[in-house]
Amino acid sequence: MANKDEVSRRQFLNYTLTGVGGFMAAGMLLPMVRFAIDPIMKQGAGQDMVAVVEEGKITEEPQRFTFKVNQKDGWYESEVTQAAWVFKDKNGDIVALSPICKHLGCTVDWGTDPSHPNQFYCPCHGGRYTKDGTNVKGTPPLAPLDVYKKEVKDGKLYLGQAEPQ
Amino acid sequence: MLQKMYDWVDERLDITPMWRDIADHEVPEHVNPAHHFSAFVYCFGGLTFFITVIQILSGMFLTMYYVPDIINAYESVHYLQNEVAFGVIVRGMHHWGASLVIVMMFLHTLRVFFQGAYKKPRELNWVVGVLIFGVMLGLGFTGYLLPWDMKALFATKVGLEIAQTVPVIGPAMKALLAGDAHIIGAQTLTRFFAIHVFFLPGALLGLMGAHFIMIRKQGISGPL
Ligand code: HEM
Ligand code: FES
């Protein structure tokens, strides 16, 4: 009577109960998982461009300038200070580098390593970068320093979000 | 009186076989330090559990005063430590216990390793043990941020940078842990708090349950 290809009552109940159970579990978990991973799904609004320094003050030697940006951390808004190493390269183009080391996030300084006065130097683990921000092979950082989005308006340099080179 | 209460419950629910099954077993001679002093190495697993119980209890009590909010977290820890009676003790238990539990777990792991107690049929329990190890390190990492002082903030910055160096999924992992792709702030603290106080302890209890059930089923290995 019971054909081999036929689904038995037991099998049928097993399948339907598993299916219904699966839907119930998914319906329960989906909102929570989407809730938890929101930070990686949300596109950052990006940072407004802020005036940092008059163009005339920028030299060929990197200088450190600080500027204040409005930061929105979820429900918490605050003004934070950021810094940039700014200089003009050989062609006279302005370069603005982030001072945050690409190894583990310490703050790099220009020319503070006596044996490499024309490089950026990170005191934490001796990371070094050439003037254009390129990481020196054989030191800990694995990527060049981030560059700020920039714009010159009315003789002033405006900086935005720092982005990987 | 107590005996009568016990009998009253036992008569209705037959609880004696339950606790007998869990607790009523002889300690084998080779794991009993009273027989061979060197058997003290078998205590490290139990000591790890003991300190874990202290961590869970002291942590539960700390949350009566602690708030995971960047404006008030530091002040709340300062207050519970300095103004609340026995605050130094309760925070001290949690603070020192956090390190001690790792030490005990490590010694326990060394014993299992050098005695070869992970071999068949106990491979699965080694795997569960390694998962427990990971959860413990996670508890230490997420707990460290909670006082929200300079040391906590910068240790977490470095820790998250390390997470970010994982190939391909690193940046997403960091954002998922920190609650923001760039900022380590208000959302990081609430996330770490949730992970420290609910998610990881939950996982830890489940894993420890599996660990102990397997031990009861398989018995302790040895003697060598
Ligand atoms: C085995 C498990 C645990 C470990 C290894 C651990 C580790 C830590 C560490 C290292 C800190 C920082 C302590 C300090 O800076 O003095 C901390 C803080 C804290 N933990 Fe845990 N923890 C554990 C379990 C728990 C549990 C189960 C809870 C709550 C239910 C909890 C609640 C807290 C709270 C509220 C703080 C902030 C207060 C403070 O910093 O003193 N912990 N934990
Ligand atoms: S953080 Fe800069 S070298 Fe390590």
Side-chain angles (χ1 to χ4, degrees), chain A residues 10-22:
Chain A
R10 172 179 302 233
Q11 263 177 333
F12 173 77
L13 285 174
N14 268 343
Y15 292 157
T16 42
L17 283 179
T18 312
V20 170

Side-chain angles (χ1 to χ4, degrees), chain B residues 19-224:
Chain B
W19 73 256
R20 279 256 155 92
D21 190 50
I22 293 170
D24 199 14
H25 291 272
E26 253 180 85
V27 177
E29 188 186 313
H30 74 282
V31 306
N32 187 344
H35 287 267
H36 314 279
F37 180 66
S38 62
F40 72 83
V41 292
Y42 287 97
C43 295
F44 293 131
L47 287 171
T48 309
F49 178 64
F50 175 60
I51 298 167
T52 304
V53 171
I54 294 181
Q55 287 309 99
I56 290 174
L57 286 178
S58 60
M60 281 165 56
F61 280 93
L62 284 173
T63 59
M64 289 182 165
Y65 294 93
Y66 178 80
V67 278
D69 164 54
I70 54 175
I71 295 172
N72 294 302
Y74 179 81
E75 283 308 320
S76 73
V77 173
H78 190 273
Y79 179 84
L80 75 86
Q81 165 146 352
N82 294 293
E83 311 280 333
V84 180
F86 285 81
V88 234
I89 309 274
V90 175
R91 177 159 186 236
M93 285 160 72
H94 203 75
H95 178 100
W96 297 105
S99 296
L100 206 58
V101 81
I102 308 253
V103 171
M104 289 306 161
M105 186 174 57
F106 193 66
L107 292 172
H108 172 62
T109 311
L110 284 181
R111 185 226 108 199
V112 171
F113 180 77
F114 282 110
Q115 291 192 337
Y118 53 82
K119 290 178 192 169
K120 194 183 174 191
R122 296 186 179 72
E123 305 97 319
L124 272 180
N125 226 1
W126 174 269
V127 172
V128 170
V130 171
L131 293 178
I132 291 177
F133 206 117
V135 169
M136 282 292 189
L137 295 187
L139 279 162
F141 178 60
T142 50
Y144 205 83
L145 178 69
L146 300 185
W148 200 249
D149 54 9
M150 282 292 166
K151 193 170 65 165
L153 176 65
F154 284 99
T156 302
K157 281 198 175 179
V158 171
L160 289 173
E161 293 287 337
I162 293 174
Q164 198 174 14
T165 61
V166 173
V168 190
I169 56 163
M173 257 171 64
K174 183 195 167 189
L176 204 55
L177 278 169
D180 187 284
H182 304 287
I183 306 163
I184 297 187
Q187 303 188 84
T188 317
L189 188 58
T190 48
R191 265 182 187 248
F192 271 46
F193 181 71
I195 295 171
H196 186 77
V197 165
F198 293 111
F199 289 80
L200 291 181
L204 186 68
L205 289 178
L207 288 168
M208 286 198 313
H211 208 62
F212 299 153
I213 288 170
M214 280 193 255
I215 294 168
R216 273 295 286 103
K217 264 212 125 86
Q218 302 180 320
I220 292 177
S221 68
L224 289 178

Side-chain angles (χ1 to χ4, degrees), chain A residues 35-40 71-76 100-106 142 161-162, chain B residues 69-71 157-158 161-162 165 171-172 175-176 179-180 182-187 190-191:
Chain A
F35 181 85
I37 65 170
D38 201 45
I40 50 176
Q71 180 180 277
K72 213 168 153 243
D73 175 13
W75 55 91
Y76 185 73
I100 297 172
C101 184
K102 296 296 274 188
H103 179 222
L104 293 178
C106 288
L142 294 172
Q161 187 95 27
Chain B
D69 164 54
I70 54 175
I71 295 172
K157 281 198 175 179
V158 171
E161 293 287 337
I162 293 174
T165 61
L176 204 55
D180 187 284
H182 304 287
I183 306 163
I184 297 187
Q187 303 188 84
T190 48
R191 265 182 187 248

Side-chain angles (χ1 to χ4, degrees), chain A residues 78-96:
Chain A
S78 59
E79 206 177 49
V80 295
T81 304
Q82 291 190 343
W85 286 100
V86 184
F87 62 95
K88 281 193 171 131
D89 67 13
K90 282 192 224 88
N91 311 325
D93 293 332
I94 295 169
V95 180

